[in-house]
Amino acid sequence: MNIKGQHFLTLKDYRADEIAELLDYARQLKRNFKQGQPSTLMDGKMMAMIFQKPSLRTRVSFETGMFQLGGSALYLGPSDIGLGARESVEDIAKVLSGQVDIIMARVFGHEIVEELAEFSSVPVINGLSDYTHPCQALADFQTIQEAGKGFEGLKLTYIGDGNNVANSLIFGGLTLGMHVFTASPEGFQVGEGVQSWAKQVSTETGGSLTVTESVEDAARGADVLYTDVWASMGQESETEARGVAFKGYTIDRRALDLAKDEAIVLHCLPAHYGDEITKEVVDSPYSRVFEQAENRLHAQKGLIALLAGNESG
Ligand code: CP
Ligand code: NVA
């Protein structure tokens, strides 16, 4: 596989064998790192990290990942560059391309990462847009593998808002042959475009998407239970109304009892305990939530090195 120089905006752009190879490479880098082997894969290279929104995991994992690979990362927050306001997205992409080796951007509209990619001559990684969060899904899949589960035929149940995180799980999950179930209240289900993409892809991969309002139907027999916040970044003013609409769309003891005995629980974090998940579940032996957060580092190191790394190191 050669994905050197490519952008990483959505898992829809990647084939199953490419995702599998990315995950293998990430696992290898994780093993090397845990054994204390230094890496020079990004020696002398710089990543620009553009953030329109807050972050803990994404910022720390990309910055630490670049450091561990021998390179550096530069944080550019909302007030630093004024993306699209002080300067056009096109010009920012062109300027950064001349000075850094790889760009990561966390944005509101997905069209912003698309525009950065269009005008950048170095790889652009989507570190979350309102549409999709592909780096999160890579770490999620690595965590599922580490729990000893295969992808083909896996029942992955997402309970909650049909948002960017749900979309990434669908894009990557169906590509890898999973049966993804989403349980969301009316009006908050994954978009029509995503559902029709899923229909088309499922005929090719054997994966499937089932969209329901029923938490019970979705959770029954699940191998993986997954959830995310009810109100995403940028939707803060809807928090109260969403709290009412999503009541019951929670991974709790009852949902866990419906899943398989050996099921695991994932959450991309940050979590709102008592809303989309209970603290009891996150603290239970079923939870892989903090391994999942750690894997953001390892999965993204694999990604960075394959997109922009030195040949050896
Ligand atoms: N899961 C995730 O992307 O976390 P941050 O928003 O803290 O980066
Ligand atoms: N859906 C959430 C994910 C946070 C990692 C958001 O976009 O805020």
Side-chain angles (χ1 to χ4, degrees):
M1 173 185 68
N2 187 2
I3 59 167
K4 192 146 200 172
Q6 286 187 26
H7 303 300
F8 186 76
L9 305 187
T10 158
L11 284 171
K12 280 195 293 185
D13 298 337
Y14 284 80
R15 297 188 311 262
D17 62 298
E18 292 174 326
I19 299 174
E21 269 194 57
L22 256 165
L23 294 173
D24 281 351
Y25 193 49
R27 245 200 337 272
Q28 186 190 320
L29 290 183
K30 180 174 182 177
R31 217 172 23 243
N32 294 350
F33 176 72
K34 298 270 178 190
Q35 288 168 357
Q37 288 179 29
S39 170
T40 54
L41 280 163
M42 292 298 283
D43 194 18
K45 301 210 174 196
M46 176 65 86
M47 168 182 277
M49 306 190 297
I50 299 173
F51 281 92
Q52 281 192 318
K53 296 173 176 175
S55 168
L56 172 66
R57 280 144 291 270
T58 303
R59 178 176 177 183
V60 174
S61 55
F62 272 107
E63 193 160 339
T64 304
M66 282 297 292
F67 171 75
Q68 290 179 0
L69 293 170
S72 295
L74 183 65
Y75 173 78
L76 301 167
S79 54
D80 292 314
I81 55 173
L83 193 74
R86 181 171 181 267
E87 197 159 1
S88 72
V89 174
E90 175 177 340
D91 284 3
I92 289 172
K94 289 177 176 169
V95 170
L96 287 177
S97 296
Q99 300 196 16
V100 305
D101 304 283
I102 186 163
I103 298 169
M104 189 280 298
R106 164 165 287 194
V107 299
F108 285 100
H110 187 71
E111 66 283 356
I112 298 175
V113 279
E114 289 181 329
E115 198 178 345
L116 281 170
E118 184 183 347
F119 294 104
S120 168
S121 59
V122 300
V124 173
I125 296 176
N126 177 5
L128 179 147
S129 67
D130 286 346
Y131 180 57
T132 192
H133 194 5
C135 295
Q136 180 65 55
L138 282 184
D140 302 341
F141 299 151
Q142 186 172 353
T143 311
I144 290 169
Q145 276 188 323
E146 286 175 356
K149 299 181 189 302
F151 296 139
E152 264 178 51
L154 185 97
K155 178 169 177 177
L156 187 153
T157 292
Y158 175 93
I159 296 171
D161 188 24
N163 61 16
N164 45 7
V165 168
N167 289 347
S168 322
L169 291 169
I170 292 166
F171 296 149
L174 264 66
T175 302
L176 293 168
M178 295 181 198
H179 300 304
V180 177
F181 284 63
T182 62
S184 316
E186 198 189 342
F188 297 96
Q189 293 179 338
V190 288
E192 292 292 329
V194 174
Q195 294 193 41
S196 49
W197 176 89
K199 262 200 201 95
Q200 188 196 319
V201 161
S202 58
T203 57
E204 296 156 20
T205 67
S208 65
L209 172 65
T210 305
V211 175
T212 173
E213 285 177 39
S214 165
V215 172
E216 287 72 21
D217 289 351
R220 195 168 294 115
D223 296 289
V224 178
L225 288 177
Y226 197 119
T227 190
D228 180 21
V229 291
W230 291 342
S232 286
M233 291 179 277
Q235 298 173 332
E236 289 77 7
S237 64
E238 299 172 28
T239 303
E240 215 178 307
R242 283 173 173 260
V244 176
F246 282 89
K247 201 168 164 37
Y249 285 83
T250 303
I251 300 186
D252 53 12
R253 188 74 242 177
R254 190 181 52 112
L256 206 48
D257 284 345
L258 288 164
K260 282 197 182 140
D261 289 344
E262 62 281 12
I264 60 166
V265 176
L266 300 178
H267 188 314
C268 58
L269 301 176
H272 294 86
Y273 295 126
D275 285 352
E276 76 276 2
I277 199 161
T278 61
K279 177 119 176 52
E280 182 203 355
V281 167
V282 170
D283 290 341
S284 77
Y286 301 95
S287 167
R288 294 287 187 281
V289 166
F290 294 104
E291 291 88 340
Q292 177 188 8
E294 181 188 328
N295 280 335
R296 289 293 304 279
L297 171 66
H298 306 296
Q300 289 161 194
K301 280 170 72 179
L303 176 67
I304 294 166
L306 287 174
L307 296 179
N310 301 314
E311 294 309 323
S312 59

